[in-house]
Amino acid sequence: MVTDTRLEAELRDLAGSVPDPELPVLTLAELGVVRDVRMEGPGRVTVHLTPTYTGCPAIEAMSADIERVLHDHGVPEVSVVTVLVPAWSTDDISAEGRRKLAEFGIAPPRSHSTDGGPVPLTLSVRCPHCGSTDTELLSRFSSTACKALRRCVACREPFDHFKEL
């Protein structure tokens, strides 16, 4: 297992502090897409970034924002490499990221069960406004491909649901 140097950990924190361009309430660290940050030599850094899905249009903006932040903090040469394996999963969203999504009015994805127990056959999505699980799907796609548009039957408010992957 490779461990970060103190500088690499600081650079990872800086890269991870970049807001997601499609969900600016979350940082890239909270979204779980910054996979690795390595010093390749004096003044040279490589950042490994995994998109939320292959072909994600935000990957270019994420890369440019990471480069800008690291340049602004004195790193002259920054290379952002897109890494597709292992694939990103909604399980990579941090607990803080899930909390922020709900606070922002987006139902966070459920975590996958790792205990080997039964898999639920239906997906109940909790309304981020009133907490009811009596919700209905309005559209499989919302403002981005990774979200669905739902409405709460109890409070009648529409909301985005970050789909599980």
Side-chain angles (χ1 to χ4, degrees), residues 113-140:
S113 174
T114 57
D115 63 5
V119 175
L121 295 178
T122 59
L123 173 67
S124 64
V125 176
R126 185 169 305 281
C127 173
H129 305 294
C130 75
S132 173
T133 56
D134 190 6
T135 64
E136 60 188 357
L137 180 66
L138 296 179
S139 175
R140 290 180 24 176

Side-chain angles (χ1 to χ4, degrees), residues 6-150:
R6 179 179 291 161
L7 180 56
E8 286 169 333
E10 289 173 16
L11 294 172
R12 178 189 303 270
D13 289 345
L14 284 170
S17 71
V18 169
D20 178 76
E22 293 180 334
L23 291 167
V25 68
L26 295 183
T27 66
L28 297 183
E30 292 162 343
L31 189 57
V33 296
V34 176
R35 299 296 190 172
D36 195 23
V37 176
R38 290 287 161 229
M39 291 296 303
E40 303 295 344
R44 286 192 350 232
V45 174
T46 299
V47 178
H48 291 145
L49 185 65
T50 299
T52 55
Y53 65 95
T54 304
C56 175
I59 197 74
E60 290 178 23
M62 290 182 205
S63 297
D65 290 346
I66 288 171
E67 288 175 13
R68 181 186 41 76
V69 164
L70 295 181
H71 286 309
D72 289 351
H73 282 83
V75 180
E77 190 177 332
V78 179
S79 173
V80 180
V81 178
T82 302
V83 178
L84 301 178
V85 177
W88 179 85
S89 161
T90 51
D91 285 340
D92 295 329
I93 300 174
S94 70
E96 178 67 4
R98 291 170 189 278
R99 184 194 67 73
K100 285 182 175 181
L101 282 171
E103 188 176 273
F104 191 65
I106 299 172
R110 296 182 311 168
S111 295
H112 294 99
S113 174
T114 57
D115 63 5
V119 175
L121 295 178
T122 59
L123 173 67
S124 64
V125 176
R126 185 169 305 281
C127 173
H129 305 294
C130 75
S132 173
T133 56
D134 190 6
T135 64
E136 60 188 357
L137 180 66
L138 296 179
S139 175
R140 290 180 24 176
F141 298 99
S142 184
S143 58
T144 62
C146 58
K147 293 184 288 190
L149 181 61
R150 300 189 72 91

